[in-house]
Amino acid sequence: LRVLPGCRSDPIVCALETVCRKAEPRYIAVSYTWGDANQVKTIYVNGKPLEVRQNCFFTLWQLRVHRFDLPVWIDSICIDQSNNHEKSSQVRLMGLIYARAELTASCIGE
């Protein structure tokens, strides 16, 4: 997931693309608490609105404000949450995903 540049008050706009792990891409793995499912905000991914939990929104907002240029791996967006097979296979890979990240960013709230 690439968080596109923007000013503090601009909507969060991202580009999501599939990348082969064998290519060993550079990326930031993100660790955060999902938070309350009832507190959502809208971001835009590949031109389409996507509701994310407030904590995910804060995380992406902070990454944009601090101008991290690397793509981001964030589970709630990068894993298709409606596909149980994908979720199961991706969860088994999470240790590897975090181990191969250029760095891990943590977000503890606004």
Side-chain angles (χ1 to χ4, degrees):
L1 181 73
R2 237 179 237 287
V3 181
L4 302 179
C7 296
R8 288 180 175 268
S9 60
D10 290 346
I12 301 290
V13 178
C14 303
L16 183 65
E17 57 189 47
T18 301
V19 178
C20 179
R21 278 180 314 178
K22 291 180 183 178
E24 297 185 12
R26 294 178 64 213
Y27 60 94
I28 299 168
V30 177
S31 176
Y32 71 105
T33 59
W34 278 39
D36 188 340
N38 296 314
Q39 294 181 334
V40 296
K41 294 201 175 249
T42 301
I43 65 169
Y44 296 88
V45 178
N46 295 345
K48 297 178 182 173
L50 175 69
E51 284 191 345
V52 296
R53 293 184 188 189
Q54 187 168 309
N55 287 351
C56 180
F57 178 87
F58 289 146
T59 301
L60 297 173
W61 183 84
Q62 289 176 20
L63 288 167
R64 182 178 71 184
V65 165
H66 293 289
R67 299 177 188 201
F68 283 94
D69 290 335
L70 290 175
V72 174
W73 185 88
I74 188 165
D75 59 354
S76 64
I77 299 173
C78 294
I79 299 173
D80 180 356
Q81 299 300 316
S82 67
N83 181 328
N84 287 333
H85 177 71
E86 180 175 334
K87 282 194 300 188
S88 177
S89 66
Q90 290 290 314
V91 166
R92 285 194 301 270
L93 295 172
M94 285 180 78
L96 183 63
I97 289 167
Y98 281 94
R100 290 193 175 165
E102 184 86 10
L103 64 93
T104 299
S106 296
C107 181
I108 57 172
E110 187 176 4

